[in-house]
Amino acid sequence: MTTPDLGLPVDVPSTALFTDQYELTMLQAALRGGTADRHSVFEAFTRRLPEGRRYGVVAGTGRVLDAVENFRFDPGVLGFLREQHIVDEQTLDWLAGYRFTGDIWGYPEGEVYFPGSPILRVEGSFAQCVVLETVILSILNHDSAIAAAASRMSAAAGGRGLIEMGARRTHELSAVAAARAAYVGGFDSTSDLAAGFRYGIPTVGTSAHAFTLLHDSERDAFQAQVDSLGRGTTLLVDTYDVAEAVRTAVEIAGPELGAVRIDSGDLLLVAHRVRQQLDDLGAVNTKIVVTSDLDEYAIASLAAAPVDAYGVGTQLVTGSGHPTCSMVYKIVARGRSADGPLQPVAKKSLGGKTSIGGRKWAARRLDGEGAAEAEVVGTGPVPRDLAERQLLVQLVKGGEIVTREPLDAARDRHIAARAGLPMSAMQLSRGEPVIPTEFV
């Protein structure tokens, strides 16, 4: 296998067990009942955005395609299912030859979405589609949550640099996915080398407080770092006294010092003082990087500070309070046979958990100024005025992936999509979705 973004060789194991047991027990019952081959349409969507959020961000699409491609029941997986008596032999025989041969359509990665947007549509036999539910939702819910938080932070940063630094605050595999999603949402780089290797995201990093404390003096630590990494390095200046550290840093590296990093204290006040000190010492081009439990609100509060880049960890990789998007994967249409006509089906239950039946299209209507004014979702013919504004693109055709793109394409798409929303989308205050979803 190779990665879609770089073509680098990676060890990609089967994704078949990234699933809930009931996917396979449903499959077994459908095989025994004769309904497994019925033509079915499933859609992934969310009924509402996380509380207070004004838009969502589609992320993880490329990882979903990888997961579908590698959804294989190899002998080891089948042996586990047999030993644990998860499913019967008929089902195991069927799983041994599993290959998804249906079609997948979806919002392209980086696009924004709203309540009811059909973010992903999976079509094929019931058996082929139902087993993909858990892995698809696992990826989309996680990655879209991180990308949405990243997008809010990117908007708050106003063009200043953003570094993803959350690898030590989440599961090691989640860290790689989070770095990828953050890049889609507008971050510029990551500290995580695995993310850099797998997805080509620029990586950065120099030293922590431990390196300073290792040495007999701060001067010795700075000298060692500059000798090793050059004058363009970033020196961490808040281990002891910030003002003394900045003075020492410039004495050692000269005005060519790349940057200083501040990781504690009143960042607004300290950044102003450090900027003044750097300028007075002639290091007018030395940048200031701030870290320390930042989120979009802290970043926005530093808009008036002379800060050049922000490093964000915990709040980013946990979705800044919303670690999931609450997406669901529901059957919306099915036939009575493998090739019969489709009929809409929908869940009708209490508590706001209903769904709308039918295979859907989606388009974004614009106002006279070219800004989005509504997300329009329908099951019938697409209105002529929306035909060129449709959002879903084909990702998989007959089981073959037909849309692969570099990660930078998703990142650029998100920047453009966010720019096409009303200005109020950039407000960090709690509010309703910035445009309504209209069902037609």
Side-chain angles (χ1 to χ4, degrees):
M1 277 301 301
T2 58
T3 67
D5 301 305
L6 290 178
L8 294 173
V10 293
D11 179 21
V12 182
S14 167
T15 54
L17 291 184
F18 292 151
T19 191
D20 290 304
Q21 181 168 316
Y22 82 165
E23 312 292 8
L24 300 190
T25 53
M26 280 193 288
L27 168 65
Q28 175 177 305
L31 288 170
R32 181 168 296 186
T35 55
D37 289 334
R38 286 188 170 186
H39 186 189
S40 301
V41 180
F42 285 77
E43 290 175 351
F45 61 94
T46 184
R47 297 183 176 94
R48 63 190 66 83
L49 297 179
E51 184 180 357
R53 295 288 172 88
R54 297 172 183 266
Y55 61 92
V57 181
V58 178
T61 308
R63 296 208 310 120
V64 166
L65 297 178
D66 292 342
V68 171
E69 188 174 48
N70 292 288
F71 205 88
R72 303 283 187 268
F73 291 84
D74 57 35
V77 171
L78 292 170
F80 165 77
L81 295 176
R82 179 176 288 110
E83 291 167 6
Q84 298 299 314
H85 306 290
I86 304 297
V87 290
D88 61 20
E89 286 297 325
Q90 178 193 8
T91 307
L92 290 171
D93 289 343
W94 188 93
L95 291 173
Y98 179 85
R99 300 291 186 274
F100 180 74
T101 60
D103 298 334
I104 299 178
W105 291 70
Y107 279 38
E109 191 158 19
E111 184 57 84
V112 296
Y113 70 87
F114 299 91
S117 296
I119 295 163
L120 199 74
R121 188 175 76 218
V122 182
E123 187 165 350
S125 72
F126 175 83
Q128 285 199 347
C129 297
V130 73
V131 296
L132 297 175
E133 175 183 6
T134 301
V135 71
I136 285 174
L137 289 179
S138 176
I139 293 170
L140 291 181
N141 269 315
H142 174 269
D143 290 22
S144 296
I146 306 306
S151 178
R152 286 162 59 86
M153 294 173 190
S154 174
R160 295 173 176 178
L162 287 165
I163 308 164
E164 185 279 316
M165 303 172 65
R168 291 170 292 169
R169 299 294 186 262
T170 188
H171 183 277
E172 68 272 17
L173 298 182
S174 297
V176 181
R180 183 187 184 280
Y183 191 70
V184 170
F187 272 58
D188 304 293
S189 57
T190 179
S191 65
D192 190 274
L193 291 177
F197 172 76
R198 187 174 290 269
Y199 297 116
I201 303 169
T203 59
V204 297
T206 52
S207 68
H209 293 289
F211 185 76
T212 301
L213 295 169
L214 168 70
H215 291 80
D216 295 335
S217 70
E218 194 168 50
R219 176 177 293 274
D220 289 346
F222 288 177
Q223 187 67 63
Q225 184 173 326
V226 171
D227 288 346
S228 174
L229 301 178
R231 297 176 185 273
T233 191
T234 298
L235 295 175
L236 181 57
V237 295
D238 71 327
T239 304
Y240 304 117
D241 180 84
V242 172
E244 181 61 29
V246 171
R247 186 177 305 109
T248 302
V250 176
E251 286 177 4
I252 291 172
E256 297 84 9
L257 176 61
V260 296
R261 178 162 74 96
I262 307 166
D263 188 50
S264 60
D266 183 337
L267 297 178
L268 178 63
L269 175 62
V270 175
H272 276 288
R273 289 177 175 174
V274 168
R275 180 74 270 159
Q276 185 62 56
Q277 186 179 9
L278 287 170
D279 292 346
D280 291 344
L281 293 170
V284 295
N285 295 318
T286 299
K287 299 183 182 303
I288 297 175
V289 179
V290 296
T291 53
S292 186
D293 294 325
L294 299 178
D295 61 10
E296 60 265 49
Y297 303 103
I299 291 170
S301 73
L302 292 168
V307 172
D308 299 285
Y310 306 92
V312 190
T314 302
Q315 291 301 318
L316 177 60
V317 299
T318 57
S320 194
H322 297 288
T324 181
C325 300
S326 299
M327 291 185 194
V328 295
Y329 181 89
K330 299 297 182 183
I331 187 170
V332 296
R334 56 92 173 166
R336 291 187 175 274
S337 64
D339 53 6
L342 289 170
Q343 63 184 69
V345 293
K347 178 180 179 181
K348 299 185 184 302
S349 59
L350 301 176
K353 297 183 72 172
T354 59
S355 56
I356 297 174
R359 180 203 280 130
K360 298 174 191 66
W361 54 264
R364 192 160 297 145
R365 190 173 68 237
L366 307 182
D367 64 18
E369 302 298 321
E373 69 173 11
E375 191 91 337
V376 185
V377 178
T379 57
V382 181
R384 183 175 303 175
D385 63 320
L386 293 176
E388 301 300 318
R389 303 294 309 170
Q390 293 191 72
L391 293 163
L392 280 81
V393 299
Q394 188 155 28
L395 303 170
V396 176
K397 183 177 182 179
E400 298 296 323
I401 296 173
V402 295
T403 301
R404 290 280 201 194
E405 60 182 9
L407 194 57
D408 279 328
R411 187 173 186 270
D412 292 343
R413 179 181 296 114
H414 176 62
I415 293 171
R418 191 176 66 191
L421 297 176
M423 287 293 295
S424 57
M426 303 305 107
Q427 294 177 348
L428 295 181
S429 57
R430 292 181 178 274
E432 297 300 314
V434 70
I435 61 173
T437 303
E438 299 177 359
F439 293 95
V440 298

